[in-house]
Amino acid sequence: MNKPYSLLAVLPLLLLLASRPSIAGETLHTLCNFLGGDYVDYNYCVSTLSTNPAASTADGHTLAVISVNLTTTNATAVKSRADSLSLSSSDPFVRSSLLNCSSLYASATPDLHSSATAVAAKNYSGAAAVLADVLRVPAGCDQGFQKKEGVASPIRKENNAFSDLATLAKAVNNYMAQ
């Protein structure tokens, strides 16, 4: 006959597990490892989120906040870069296309703030939905330059970086929504 384990027999094991020190960055690496199997590169995930010193000891919620904040900051920087390049461009088509990009990123900023508000309220699905919408901005920006043959976007690199950040933020929020 099998005897059920008594609480006294299991108690030392429970105490050992409860007293296990947390490994710094365990959540960061767990999250990035999970996302790395999908559509976000593990190394990109770790290195990007780790630009914020709090990421190494952050819980999932804080990592979601960090990812949205990084995306919002980047959108502002891309808008500024587009503005700056539009002022120095002598080509009216390029200048117009850059101003269109600036407008697209300016329009994304309130959406990104809305995403940050959703994350703060732990509405991760809502945040991810907003991030999915702002992922259209880089493509819209690049499309403006494709209207004229032989003209490449001078901010393609920045558009790609924004797309990568927004994808990461969306993935983190989708992970947290589970």
Side-chain angles (χ1 to χ4, degrees):
M1 175 161 112
N2 291 335
K3 292 183 181 178
Y5 288 107
S6 73
L7 180 59
L8 292 176
V10 178
L11 189 59
L13 178 62
L14 292 175
L15 289 173
L16 177 66
L17 290 173
S19 66
R20 181 181 74 90
S22 177
I23 300 169
E26 182 176 35
T27 300
L28 172 67
H29 293 283
T30 301
L31 173 105
C32 291
N33 189 49
F34 179 83
L35 298 179
D38 198 5
Y39 53 95
V40 175
D41 179 73
Y42 171 83
N43 291 326
Y44 174 79
C45 178
V46 171
S47 65
T48 300
L49 293 175
S50 292
T51 60
N52 183 314
S56 65
T57 57
D59 62 5
H61 174 74
T62 303
L63 292 172
V65 169
I66 290 169
S67 68
V68 171
N69 288 343
L70 289 171
T71 305
T72 304
T73 300
N74 183 264
T76 303
V78 177
K79 181 202 175 303
S80 294
R81 176 87 170 127
D83 287 340
S84 175
L85 288 173
S86 73
L87 293 173
S88 63
S89 177
S90 60
D91 183 330
F93 175 77
V94 171
R95 184 175 31 255
S96 174
S97 296
L98 285 166
L99 289 173
N100 178 59
C101 292
S102 174
S103 177
L104 289 169
Y105 279 98
S107 296
T109 302
D111 292 338
L112 289 166
H113 289 295
S114 172
S115 180
T117 300
V119 171
K122 298 186 178 183
N123 178 3
Y124 305 113
S125 296
V130 172
L131 289 161
D133 286 341
V134 299
L135 271 165
R136 297 181 181 129
V137 170
C141 176
D142 284 340
Q143 284 175 352
F145 290 95
Q146 295 169 356
K147 292 178 182 175
K148 188 173 180 182
E149 191 171 325
V151 177
S153 170
I155 60 169
R156 178 168 286 146
K157 178 181 168 188
E158 290 87 345
N159 280 334
N160 290 342
F162 176 80
S163 182
D164 290 345
L165 280 168
T167 299
L168 173 62
K170 180 181 165 221
V172 170
N173 279 280
N174 279 336
Y175 174 84
M176 290 302 296
Q178 297 178 5

